[in-house]
Amino acid sequence: MAGRGHGPDFVEALARGLDVLSCFSARRPVMSLSEVAAAADLARPTARRLLLTLEELGYAAACEGGYRLTPKVLDLGMAYVGSLGLWDIARPHLEALVARTGESSSMAQLDGSDIVYVARVAVPKLITLRVEIGTRFPAVQTSQGKVLLAALGPDELTEALGHASRSGLPRYIGRTAAQLHEELAEVRARGWALADEELAPGVRSVAVPVRDGAGVVRAAANVTVHAAETTRETLLEEHLPLLLRTAGEISGEWAAWQRRPHATVAPEVAAG
C-alpha cells in the first residue's frame, strides 16, 4: 500500500500513516500489530512506530487484542463516521424520537475519559448548554458517558478514567471512585444510565447503549430535558421506553448494514 506515490513531493511516511488508519473498519475495529503490518504491507517495526505515533497523537489507542481508532479521527473529517455507516442510519430514528418526545436527542462515543458528540437532533428549549458535533464532556458527568464506561472491562475502564479530560470543564468531585464503580455496575445491569444535573444545573438526561452487529457497545444515545420542565418520572417512564426502542432499531439496522457486502467503485478515468 505505502510507497506507491511517484510525485517529487510525495511523503511516504504520511502515506504509511494513512494506510494504517485505513486498515481499521467496522468489521475490524480492533487489530493486532501483526494484523496491521500485514494489512498495510509494512514491516512490524514500522507498523509499531506508526501505531505508537498515532497513539501519542490521540488517533489510536491500545486495547485488549491490539489497537483501535479513537473518535479524534473525526478531527480529520467525517470520513470515520461515514465509514461506520451508523450515523446516517441513526439520524432518521433520532428525528422520529425527537418528534415523539419533543426533547433533544444525541449520540456520542467515548474518547479517553470524555464523550464526543457525533450526532444530534435538537429542539429549542430552556437548556443553554451548547452542544454540537465534536463537543466534549467528561464521561462521568453524562448519561451517555456512564453507559459507555459501563461497557468497558476493568482494565479498559481504569485506562479510560486515567486520561485527563480535554473538555475544558473543571474536575468533577460529585462522587468517590467507589461510588462511581457501584453506579456503573448498576448501569451495566439495568441497561441505561441517568445524569441528573451533574453536568450543568437544569440538565437532566437518560441514555442507552447502541450496539454493532457483534453486540459490542459502540455508542450511546440519549434524551435530554430541562429539569424545570420534565420530572425524573416522566423521563424514565415515558421517554426511556421510546429511547430503548429507538436504540434497538438503530442497532438492528446497523447490524444488517454491516452484514451487507460493500463494494468500492473506482472513479472513472478520463480518456486521454
Side-chain angles (χ1 to χ4, degrees):
M1 296 172 68
R4 62 217 174 276
H6 302 291
D9 297 319
F10 181 80
V11 182
E12 185 173 318
L14 175 59
R16 288 176 172 175
L18 294 174
D19 284 343
V20 169
L21 290 176
S22 300
C23 291
F24 296 86
S25 67
R27 296 181 180 178
R28 295 194 298 183
V30 176
M31 299 181 69
S32 67
L33 172 58
S34 297
E35 290 172 335
V36 170
D41 194 21
L42 297 170
R44 278 175 56 93
T46 301
R48 178 177 177 276
R49 288 196 300 272
L50 291 169
L51 284 167
L52 291 176
T53 299
L54 291 169
E55 183 180 16
E56 187 169 342
L57 293 173
Y59 294 109
C63 62
E64 185 176 352
Y67 290 83
R68 59 175 176 80
L69 297 182
T70 74
K72 190 180 178 183
V73 177
L74 289 170
D75 294 344
L76 302 175
M78 295 304 292
Y80 172 66
V81 173
S83 70
L84 293 178
L86 173 58
W87 320 124
D88 286 338
I89 290 170
R91 188 165 291 107
H93 293 284
L94 294 182
E95 290 173 347
L97 175 64
V98 168
R100 295 190 67 180
T101 63
E103 306 289 355
S104 298
S105 181
S106 305
M107 293 186 67
Q109 249 186 320
L110 191 67
D111 183 20
S113 63
D114 293 333
I115 60 166
V116 180
Y117 282 78
V118 293
R120 180 166 173 80
V121 179
V123 295
K125 284 286 180 178
L126 293 175
I127 298 175
T128 57
L129 194 65
R130 181 175 178 180
V131 178
E132 55 191 25
I133 303 303
T135 294
R136 289 177 172 272
F137 290 130
V140 297
Q141 293 173 245
T142 68
S143 58
Q144 291 166 300
K146 293 176 188 179
V147 165
L148 295 168
L149 290 172
L152 300 178
D155 292 340
E156 292 175 311
L157 177 60
T158 299
E159 180 185 355
L161 295 177
H163 289 276
S165 173
R166 290 189 282 148
S167 66
L169 296 180
R171 184 174 178 272
Y172 183 59
I173 56 174
R175 64 173 72 82
T176 65
Q179 290 171 330
L180 174 61
H181 282 78
E182 183 178 346
E183 182 176 7
L184 293 180
E186 293 178 1
V187 170
R188 193 177 302 114
R190 71 192 180 197
W192 55 268
L194 177 71
D196 196 353
E197 300 190 84
E198 297 172 41
L199 183 61
V203 179
R204 177 178 289 157
S205 70
V206 65
V208 300
V210 175
R211 303 175 186 273
D212 64 12
V216 178
V217 176
R218 298 291 297 277
N222 79 346
V223 171
T224 302
V225 302
H226 195 286
E229 294 182 333
T230 307
T231 65
R232 287 171 57 117
E233 289 71 23
T234 297
L235 183 61
L236 298 180
E237 295 175 10
E238 298 182 17
H239 297 338
L240 176 57
L242 297 174
L243 178 61
L244 285 166
R245 182 181 304 173
T246 297
E249 292 170 349
I250 294 171
S251 298
E253 192 171 329
W254 190 26
W257 182 90
Q258 288 179 306
R259 289 195 297 268
R260 296 204 318 262
H262 299 279
T264 300
V265 179
E268 205 175 290
V269 179

